[in-house]
Amino acid sequence: MYHAKQQGSGRAVFFETSMNEEVRRRVELERELREALDKEQLRLYYQPQLDLKSGRIIGCEALMRWIHPVRGLVPPTQFIGFAETSGLIDPIGQWALKAACAQFVAWRAEGLPVEYVSVNVSPRQFQTLGFSETVAEALQAFGVPASALHLEITESAVLGDQPAARANLAGLNALGTPLELDDFGTGYSSLAHLRDLPVAAVKLDRAFIKSIHEDASALAVVRAAIVMAHALGKSVVAEGVELTEQVVLLSQMGCDIMQGYHLSAPVPADQFVTLVRQRAAAVPLVLQTRSRQ
């Protein structure tokens, strides 16, 4: 019945044993995810974000990982989508907010010069009434300034006439928590909505960044996006940066922040500390890359 409904009205679907297997896998995954929450198998890894003007690591994006007792390190692509559809994203998202806040406080206590930690928010979370209050409670519980917790949302989280999303937008703006528009440029109406959305930054999707060093049209699109975002008073983060040539071009175009494997893969909290301190003691990346030209 569910398979028939997924394919549209007026469809007939015959039973296959694979359907039972799919249901069994989903039930098992839900059980394991609930267990992961209870037994503290979830972890946050942190991918550093570098200020292209100063050459310093000023913040990071917190990314979910699952340390499974049998399968080992499970990437988010294998469970976040399911968590979204099953409703488990709500308790998992709340855990991520608290874990990121606790880690930020620990870093600052160590004297680590990071300004913020960025956390992804799913559309389901953002469209749940009271989400902004959940954020406020996490900030207060850990004593984190609102400006130090950046929330990454996608365009789909705020499209349409959704009272809960509007209320959360208003609540988070009143709180002073910066919002970043993730995957910018991949939606159908990103440009139309950017002017009206109260976001502090846009994240240029890696699909645009990967070819700017060899494709003039990709370079033109990224340059135009940076100019437009700056004209609207928003900063620009480029993700998926992997090559020195990309770093140089982004710096020349006035991009504000970069993240990607050129700098570092997402790493555990202790390795992030090492990266920040090594970076602070090194010659700024932009100066290094320019000197090689």
Side-chain angles (χ1 to χ4, degrees), residues 131-145:
F131 173 72
S132 58
E133 285 82 357
T134 299
V135 174
E137 289 168 4
L139 293 173
Q140 184 176 14
F142 292 94
V144 176

Side-chain angles (χ1 to χ4, degrees), residues 71-97:
R71 297 197 296 273
L73 186 65
V74 182
T77 53
Q78 295 184 18
F79 65 91
I80 290 297
F82 172 78
E84 178 86 16
T85 57
S86 67
L88 283 173
I89 197 66
D90 293 319
I92 289 175
Q94 291 179 22
W95 171 85
L97 278 174

Side-chain angles (χ1 to χ4, degrees), residues 127-183:
Q127 293 160 9
T128 300
L129 197 61
F131 173 72
S132 58
E133 285 82 357
T134 299
V135 174
E137 289 168 4
L139 293 173
Q140 184 176 14
F142 292 94
V144 176
S147 60
L149 178 65
H150 293 198
L151 300 178
E152 297 189 19
I153 61 173
T154 58
E155 190 179 22
S156 59
V158 292
L159 287 181
D161 185 19
Q162 302 178 53
R166 291 200 307 271
N168 287 324
L169 274 175
L172 292 169
N173 273 282
L175 193 62
T177 305
L179 297 176
E180 298 183 359
L181 189 61
D182 200 9
D183 301 332

Side-chain angles (χ1 to χ4, degrees), residues 24 26 33 36 42 49 75 111 119 121 161 180 206-207 218 235 255:
R24 187 198 65 77
R26 290 179 64 85
L33 265 178
L42 297 179
Q49 295 185 340
V119 177
V121 178
D161 185 19
E180 298 183 359
R206 66 187 66 246
S235 60
C255 184

Side-chain angles (χ1 to χ4, degrees), residues 241-245 247 258-264 285 289:
V241 180
E242 298 182 355
L243 302 172
T244 297
E245 296 90 336
V247 178
M258 62 149 277
Q259 73 178 86
Y261 278 64
H262 184 272
L263 182 61
S264 171
L285 177 63
T289 54

